[in-house]
Amino acid sequence: QVQLVESGGGLVQAGGSLRLSCVASGTIFSINDMGWYRQTPEKQRELVARITSGGSTDYADSVKGRFTVSRDNAKNMVYLHMNSLKPEDTAVYYCNANIRGRRNWAPNDYWGQGTQVTVSS
């Protein structure tokens, strides 16, 4: 079994910063892409940022230049550094990882439980 656990959400004023962290644990042979998604009651879950095992990154247009995704492969962790936060960034943020449990197993997508980020105006 694999678990993803997020931390670092909270309440921040507009213009402020937060850092989200996510650690993967359990039966892990290798991790492919890791990333962050967010969801509000009004919107479907959307990609915020993702990073490959080699370090290539991809961002939603709405966060480019403000958010940075990074990972520590030795610790099975992914981070999201969020700067210049806006009220429209308010959402539940979910960690996602594509993980191969054993060498000969097919990889699967796993999700964290979500962490609330609230940006006040």
Side-chain angles (χ1 to χ4, degrees):
Q1 288 289 359
V2 172
Q3 278 191 322
L4 299 182
V5 178
E6 302 108 334
S7 60
L11 173 64
V12 64
Q13 287 189 331
S17 299
L18 280 175
R19 187 184 81 159
L20 304 183
S21 301
C22 172
V23 59
S25 62
T27 304
I28 297 173
F29 174 76
S30 63
I31 303 178
N32 299 316
D33 290 2
M34 302 184 83
W36 294 92
Y37 289 71
R38 66 187 180 188
Q39 188 171 17
T40 67
E42 297 77 28
K43 287 185 179 181
Q44 288 185 332
R45 192 173 296 189
E46 62 176 4
L47 173 69
V48 176
R50 61 187 167 202
I51 182 168
T52 68
S53 57
S56 297
T57 57
D58 186 24
Y59 295 93
D61 287 343
S62 59
V63 307
K64 282 180 182 176
R66 300 188 298 122
F67 291 10
T68 302
V69 62
S70 61
R71 64 191 281 175
D72 184 330
N73 291 330
K75 296 181 179 178
N76 292 338
M77 294 193 72
V78 63
Y79 307 95
L80 186 66
H81 302 257
M82 304 184 292
N83 297 319
S84 303
L85 282 160
K86 304 175 181 180
E88 51 263 44
D89 294 318
T90 296
V92 177
Y93 283 70
Y94 295 91
C95 175
N96 169 264
N98 185 259
I99 297 174
R100 188 184 304 272
R102 299 287 189 197
R103 180 189 296 271
N104 59 340
W105 290 3
N108 287 309
D109 268 348
Y110 294 90
W111 294 90
Q113 80 285 356
T115 185
Q116 177 70 46
V117 171
T118 302
V119 184
S120 64
S121 57

